[in-house]
Amino acid sequence: MRRQPAVAGQFYSSDPVQLRKDLSSLIEILVPKKKTPGIISPHAGFVYSGSVAGKIFGQLDIPQTVLIIGPNHRGSGEPAALYPDGEWLTPLGSVPINSRLNQLIKQYTPFVQFDTVAHEFEHSLEVQLPFIQYLRTDVTISALCLGHGDYRALHEIGVGLADAIRVYGEDVLIVASSDMTHYESAESARHKDNMALDRVLALDSEGLLNICRAEHITMCGVVPSVVMMIAVQQMGATASEIVAYSTSGDVSGDNSKVVAYAAVSFL
């Protein structure tokens, strides 16, 4: 299977030369680089969230294998959709799907099904890929698109991913793709996002899911973030840190109705 880019020319440049220039300006390279089992990274258009994503990717020692987990914005396809073997294309070239990790995820992780429908037009996973490609040209990926679920099911998925990665036996970076609050004032967004990020910093995955639902925090990738947090804690993560936070208002100048973005790494 070949997954064609769905949002090249919209969320980021479809021209490879321009895309490389954009990534070069967005990515802040940090030396020495850090190893981390997981991150939260935003997925809006590069003009709005690219600097936040670039800041976190620029500090990472990215392993050869990356698992990207994104939300299912359209609600199509399987509720836990793992892209089958093949490759993903972007203007920078093709990225192979890691068939060995895929098979282990399918074996150890409940609810997961091979499915292309959920991925066909979903931007949240795709937008992460140019950053990863730019920094690690020999990368292979697995791509998991998740719908809604209760905490018990998400916990089972997170534990299963950690088990699959342990058996895989090599370093894997888990990228949870999420924006934060949508279409509220910058002040309201920051207030709500602070509540959510407090739970992230406390490594309280269930609390993150609960606070987003109780306080109507429109963190679109809360499910991928919860699953990633569970997995990396199973893998030994004991802390997290906020690397960057901004809103679309920082770019547009309109703070009356923004989308917010955060980058978080786990240690």
Side-chain angles (χ1 to χ4, degrees), residues 29-232:
I29 299 294
L30 180 70
V31 179
K33 293 192 174 184
K34 301 178 181 179
K35 283 193 172 183
T36 177
I39 64 171
I40 297 172
S41 175
H43 57 237
F46 281 12
V47 67
Y48 292 111
S49 68
S51 62
V52 174
K55 191 164 186 178
I56 195 163
F57 279 114
Q59 68 173 223
L60 299 182
D61 180 5
I62 299 175
Q64 191 173 4
T65 308
V66 177
L67 167 60
I68 310 173
I69 311 177
N72 189 332
H73 285 89
R74 293 171 178 266
S76 57
E78 294 289 336
L82 185 65
Y83 197 88
D85 292 352
E87 60 184 353
W88 277 41
L89 305 180
T90 80
L92 300 184
S94 66
V95 176
I97 295 292
N98 190 306
S99 59
R100 185 162 72 90
L101 181 58
N102 256 20
Q103 290 297 330
L104 290 169
I105 290 172
K106 183 68 168 59
Q107 178 181 348
Y108 283 93
T109 308
F111 312 116
V112 167
Q113 299 294 326
F114 288 123
D115 176 57
T116 61
V117 174
H119 290 273
E120 187 175 6
F121 300 109
E122 178 55 53
H123 66 278
S124 64
L125 297 96
E126 176 183 332
V127 169
Q128 308 296 335
L129 200 49
F131 289 96
I132 298 166
Q133 278 180 291
Y134 182 83
L135 292 165
R136 181 86 197 218
T137 57
D138 63 344
V139 74
T140 65
I141 64 167
S142 289
L144 180 61
C145 187
L146 296 177
H148 298 292
D150 61 28
Y151 183 75
R152 187 173 183 177
L154 301 184
H155 190 271
E156 289 187 50
I157 293 172
V159 170
L161 291 177
D163 289 342
I165 290 169
R166 275 196 209 95
V167 176
Y168 182 70
E170 299 176 28
D171 288 342
V172 175
L173 169 66
I174 306 177
V175 177
S177 185
S178 183
D179 294 337
M180 299 300 292
T181 291
H182 290 61
Y183 311 127
E184 298 188 27
S185 71
E187 181 181 8
S188 174
R190 187 173 291 274
H191 171 70
K192 288 188 171 184
D193 291 340
N194 281 340
M195 289 192 286
L197 292 170
D198 281 348
R199 294 300 89 215
V200 174
L201 293 175
L203 300 182
D204 181 5
S205 55
E206 186 171 14
L208 173 61
L209 188 66
N210 289 341
I211 196 73
C212 285
R213 291 176 174 173
E215 299 295 333
H216 306 289
I217 301 170
T218 51
M219 179 183 179
C220 57
V222 63
V223 165
S225 299
V226 165
V227 167
M228 179 273 295
M229 288 172 65
I230 293 164
V232 299

